[in-house]
Amino acid sequence: MFDSQRTLAFVNTRLDRPNGLIDQLADRDAAAGWLAGELGYDSPISGRDHAALLELRDSARWILRARSAGLTPPPQDLDVVNAASVAAPRAEQLDGDWNSAVHFAASGSPDANNLTELLAGLASAVVNLAAASENLVECAADDCVVLFLRTDPRRRWHSKRCGNRVRAARSFARHRSGGPA
């Protein structure tokens, strides 16, 4: 099973930033490299597998963003994640109601040599993260869309770098307008 950090790493492989798109799974070679480095899957991937990987990642991102905002996730994204999760040795199902229980079936761990099982394991991890985490938030920096688990109630940024950028911009704006330092 995948932990929440690895699941968030998967979801955060695509970031739409003001200065451009960052997509670590942009093509089959990049996706194969990410899968090898993060999940130990060391085989080439087909165009069909690449499309399934992207669809799962994008649906997972919409679900987790909805969760972080307290909104109902899009039904089509629930369908994608739930359908992928069924192929896992342990399948969790999510219905979009944050107060309902997660439904489980069977148990086991994904086979690192089977891409379908790896994707199913990621889908199951997304279900668990969405259902169980009230600390899931999106970085508060204007130009950052990284999802992360807040470990402190005062934490607003996913990294010190984002926090420093926001504070520096605020300070610059105050000095420029002649406000108090």
Side-chain angles (χ1 to χ4, degrees):
M1 201 45 104
F2 300 105
D3 65 12
S4 56
Q5 294 305 320
R6 185 165 288 169
T7 305
L8 287 170
F10 171 63
V11 170
N12 287 323
T13 56
R14 178 188 168 114
L15 300 174
D16 295 309
R17 300 237 169 150
N19 58 348
L21 173 70
I22 298 170
D23 191 346
Q24 297 174 8
L25 309 176
D27 57 46
R28 289 175 24 197
D29 290 337
W34 188 89
L35 288 167
E38 291 292 325
L39 306 180
Y41 181 78
D42 199 19
S43 296
I45 62 172
S46 69
R48 187 169 156 200
D49 288 339
H50 183 242
L53 179 68
L54 295 179
E55 182 180 40
L56 176 61
R57 189 259 323 260
D58 294 343
S59 291
R61 183 156 184 80
W62 281 112
I63 289 170
L64 295 179
R65 287 184 78 193
R67 174 64 168 133
S68 73
L71 303 172
T72 301
Q76 67 273 18
D77 293 320
L78 289 172
D79 291 344
V80 167
V81 170
N82 286 336
S85 179
V86 170
R90 174 183 173 143
E92 292 88 346
Q93 298 290 292
L94 190 64
D95 65 9
D97 178 3
W98 305 130
N99 298 315
S100 71
V102 175
H103 309 284
F104 298 95
S107 68
S109 295
D111 177 359
N113 296 316
N114 183 325
L115 186 59
T116 301
E117 283 191 23
L118 282 176
L119 295 181
L122 281 168
S124 293
V126 167
V127 169
N128 284 326
L129 186 59
S133 183
E134 295 185 9
N135 295 323
L136 181 66
V137 294
E138 193 168 56
C139 185
D142 288 339
D143 62 344
C144 185
V145 294
V146 170
L147 289 165
F148 70 98
L149 289 174
R150 185 184 347 228
T151 54
D152 181 305
R154 296 172 300 183
R155 186 173 173 195
R156 297 178 51 211
W157 304 290
H158 87 280
S159 69
K160 288 181 182 181
R161 183 175 178 223
C162 275
N164 289 342
R165 272 196 343 265
V166 169
R167 287 188 288 277
R170 202 170 33 218
S171 175
F172 179 76
R174 275 195 308 266
H175 286 357
R176 189 171 186 181
S177 68

